[in-house]
Amino acid sequence: MSLVLASASPRRRELMQTAGLRFTVHVSKAEEHIEPGTAATDAVQQLARQKAAAVAAECPDDLVIGADTVVVCDGRILGKPADTEDAFRMLRMLSGKTHCVYTGVCLVQNGQSETFCEKTQVTFYPLSDEEINAYIATGEPMDKAGAYGIQGRGCTLVQSICGDYCNVVGLPVAALCRKLREYIY
């Protein structure tokens, strides 16, 4: 049995490597779909399950990990921004507020799946339009849920966090490693 990460995210790969996990990457080609109105905790777990199941179909003897992360502010799910205007809208919404980051993780092996979700609260400093535009100009927000990366320049926007930092990066690696013990040992 091999451990397979069903994700193209370099951040998830880095987190798993840092944790000392041996794994291969097999990017999911699953078409992600969630019904409107789905709660964030359910949405990230469903998306993680879709990714993991698609890869598990191609790697039936392996333990496959799928993950998905969203940011929720004022009851709205913020995925990756569509363009710079969308990134500005998201960052303006996050400015001076506390929001939640949810990451859903799904483990699939031998046709059986298990999902879980981690939540971290993040508080942003109040941001001026100039700060937001300067951050957007770096290009960093464009491929990240909520239009920021806490592991990059986005760390300068964050006043505090409550919960797992790695979860905000995109994978609750400590919780994942604890779950993996049930499969490996």
Side-chain angles (χ1 to χ4, degrees), residues 71-83:
V71 169
V72 177
C73 184
D74 296 335
R76 297 181 62 192
I77 295 176
L78 306 179
K80 296 175 184 176
D83 52 31

Side-chain angles (χ1 to χ4, degrees), residues 21-63:
L21 298 172
R22 290 185 176 178
F23 64 97
T24 59
V25 173
H26 189 110
V27 178
S28 172
K29 295 176 182 70
E31 197 170 311
E32 299 175 20
H33 177 73
I34 293 297
E35 292 298 320
T38 303
T41 55
D42 294 333
V44 291
Q45 290 180 85
Q46 288 175 25
L47 291 168
R49 189 178 305 112
Q50 290 170 18
K51 293 174 185 180
V55 171
E58 298 177 34
C59 307
D61 298 325
D62 297 321
L63 175 55

Side-chain angles (χ1 to χ4, degrees), residues 28 43 51-52 64 84 96 108 145:
S28 172
K51 293 174 185 180
V64 178
T84 57
V108 177

Side-chain angles (χ1 to χ4, degrees), residues 3-9 13 16-17 23-28 55:
L3 188 61
V4 177
L5 175 62
S7 176
S9 168
R13 273 184 254 151
M16 287 183 61
Q17 289 167 342
F23 64 97
T24 59
V25 173
H26 189 110
V27 178
S28 172
V55 171

